[in-house]
Amino acid sequence: MTANYDIAVIGAGFAGLACARRAAQRGLSVVVLERKTEPGERIHTTGILVREAWEEWAAPSALVRRINRVRVYTPSHRFVELNGDRYFFMATDTARLMRHLVDETRRSGAEVRFGERFRGVGSPGDRRTENGLSLKDSGVDCRFLVGADGARSRVAESFGLDCNRRLLKGVEWEFEPLSTTGDCLHCFIDSKYAPGYIGWVVPGVAATQVGLAVHRHRRADMPGFIRRIDSLFGLSGKRVLEKRGGVIPIGGLLRNIHGEDVVLIGDSAGMVSPLTAGGIHNAYRFGRLAGDAITDYLERGGPHPGEVIRGAYARGRWKHAARWSYDHLPVGRALDTGLVTWGTFRRLAGAVFFDRMG
């Protein structure tokens, strides 16, 4: 039997759930289809919330840990320590956080189904029914489709929309909690172990998170990186609780993110900072915006949601320029050899981590 919905959202990540929750709060019938079998399964993100993300959709205190300081290290492990007065980050128990977000989305009135893979829409002759789009093998017809299914979006591929081409490869290991990290986010500039991005150590909620992100054609040498920073944190001999990985789009907002009755949001649309590779705040913000825009489009004849989203999305040209510089210039070596002064480095690092404060 086929069920009819106003909106079908593909992907129960941060963006998809924010969109579904908002549209359901506005009175639309919404279904979320997620290929994973349960919320919090196979996490692919470090799960750090910037202050704005925390304010957008606050989580219970048991699921987060506040981080007030950031240390940025050069290859020789010299560092600058930064804090932003009232600015902060939140480490999360990401699996439990996702379960919480799913519960809240369901309470808003949206239906969330797990173990349901998006297999496309009907053939060109029958993809549209009198109720809108017909999704293959799911018993779902919808008036509008939202692709929130990650950096390698099947929705984008099915509708001929743009796909992410510039990607980082991220790997993270969770260790048993360590006392050596303090309440500080530790970030490592090291072109040997983290070409293209950084390494990190995060004092998480119930674990210490250690990770690398590298250009996707490079190998992430986690054992080597752990040996490299062992003198700082004493990781050797500590128990690894979990290992995970995934890809991170860094090309910025894609050009073609919507069709007549479909729009991409979150990682699917490239809504990730080209510089910091952070995407949860944008996922929350533009998921909610999409929920409002789709409701206005379907119920009031408002502008197309894709145009609304694009018009609200900041271009961030300086971040693209900084990304190019980071990719092509020996930043770490320049710091260690004195080619870049520590005062300049502190100002640049402060802009990267706390640029939202102004």
Side-chain angles (χ1 to χ4, degrees):
M1 177 178 288
T2 299
N4 301 318
Y5 298 88
D6 293 314
I7 303 176
V9 179
I10 309 303
F14 294 105
L17 293 175
C19 177
R21 177 175 180 249
R22 183 55 180 166
Q25 289 172 338
R26 291 282 305 273
L28 295 193
S29 58
V30 184
V31 64
V32 182
L33 305 181
E34 169 57 56
R35 63 186 178 86
K36 297 176 183 177
T37 59
E38 61 182 5
E41 179 186 24
R42 300 196 310 277
I43 295 297
H44 297 298
T45 175
T46 299
I48 293 179
L49 306 178
V50 296
R51 186 189 68 183
E52 293 85 352
W54 164 257
E55 292 171 345
E56 191 83 39
W57 194 349
S61 58
L63 305 184
V64 296
R65 177 177 179 179
R66 181 165 170 149
I67 298 174
N68 295 307
R69 298 176 295 132
V70 177
R71 282 187 182 179
V72 186
Y73 297 78
T74 72
S76 66
H77 292 169
R78 298 172 67 200
F79 66 85
V80 295
E81 184 167 299
L82 310 165
N83 64 71
D85 297 327
R86 293 182 300 276
Y87 201 88
F88 58 86
F89 303 86
M90 288 288 192
T92 66
D93 184 331
T94 313
R96 291 174 63 200
L97 174 61
M98 297 311 300
R99 291 193 285 272
H100 167 76
L101 298 181
V102 168
D103 288 343
E104 287 213 333
T105 302
R106 284 173 168 156
R107 281 195 290 270
S108 74
E111 180 181 348
V112 186
R113 302 185 193 174
F114 287 88
E116 297 231 12
R117 186 180 296 272
F118 174 71
R119 303 184 186 280
V121 293
S123 61
D126 64 4
R127 61 175 266 182
R128 285 183 173 82
T129 69
E130 61 180 10
N131 297 312
L133 293 173
S134 179
L135 276 57
K136 288 182 178 178
D137 303 329
S138 63
V140 168
D141 285 356
C142 62
R143 298 168 66 193
F144 203 92
L145 183 67
V146 177
D149 52 336
R152 292 170 171 158
S153 171
R154 290 290 305 278
V155 173
E157 182 181 348
S158 295
F159 282 82
L161 304 177
D162 284 352
C163 298
N164 292 290
R165 304 298 180 192
R166 296 189 62 199
L167 300 166
L168 295 175
K169 177 171 57 180
V171 178
E172 185 172 85
W173 292 4
E174 283 195 350
F175 287 81
E176 57 189 303
L178 302 176
S179 61
T180 51
T181 56
D183 66 338
C184 189
L185 169 60
H186 303 266
C187 300
F188 293 84
I189 298 173
D190 192 323
S191 60
K192 178 178 180 181
Y193 291 104
Y197 190 47
I198 59 171
W200 62 86
V201 175
V202 179
V205 175
T208 297
Q209 301 164 231
V210 181
L212 289 173
V214 302
H215 286 305
R216 63 174 177 170
H217 59 277
R218 300 289 293 271
R219 184 175 71 91
D221 181 7
M222 280 294 291
F225 178 61
I226 289 166
R227 289 193 297 271
R228 174 79 168 162
I229 63 174
D230 187 55
S231 61
L232 299 175
F233 303 104
L235 291 166
S236 61
K238 299 298 182 182
R239 185 162 54 99
V240 176
L241 307 177
E242 186 178 342
K243 298 181 180 180
R244 55 181 175 242
V247 295
I248 309 162
I250 56 167
L253 184 68
L254 300 174
R255 289 182 179 274
N256 184 18
I257 63 167
H258 68 86
E260 178 184 348
D261 39 24
V262 61
V263 70
L264 305 177
I265 58 173
D267 285 13
S268 301
M271 292 179 175
V272 176
S273 167
L275 184 57
T276 67
I280 297 177
H281 177 224
N282 277 341
Y284 280 163
R285 179 188 172 197
F286 287 95
R288 177 184 173 90
L289 179 65
D292 277 327
I294 296 168
T295 304
D296 292 340
Y297 178 67
L298 294 179
E299 302 297 294
R300 303 178 182 178
H304 194 284
E307 297 297 337
V308 174
I309 291 168
R310 180 168 295 284
Y313 199 90
R315 294 186 178 184
R317 290 177 177 173
W318 79 270
K319 292 185 180 181
H320 286 277
R323 159 54 55 185
W324 184 94
S325 299
Y326 194 83
D327 284 343
H328 293 87
L329 302 178
V331 177
R333 189 164 69 249
L335 287 166
D336 276 337
T337 58
L339 295 177
V340 175
T341 67
W342 280 94
T344 300
F345 178 45
R346 177 179 291 276
R347 288 191 295 273
L348 290 173
V352 169
F353 287 97
F354 302 114
D355 65 339
R356 302 171 182 84
M357 292 176 59

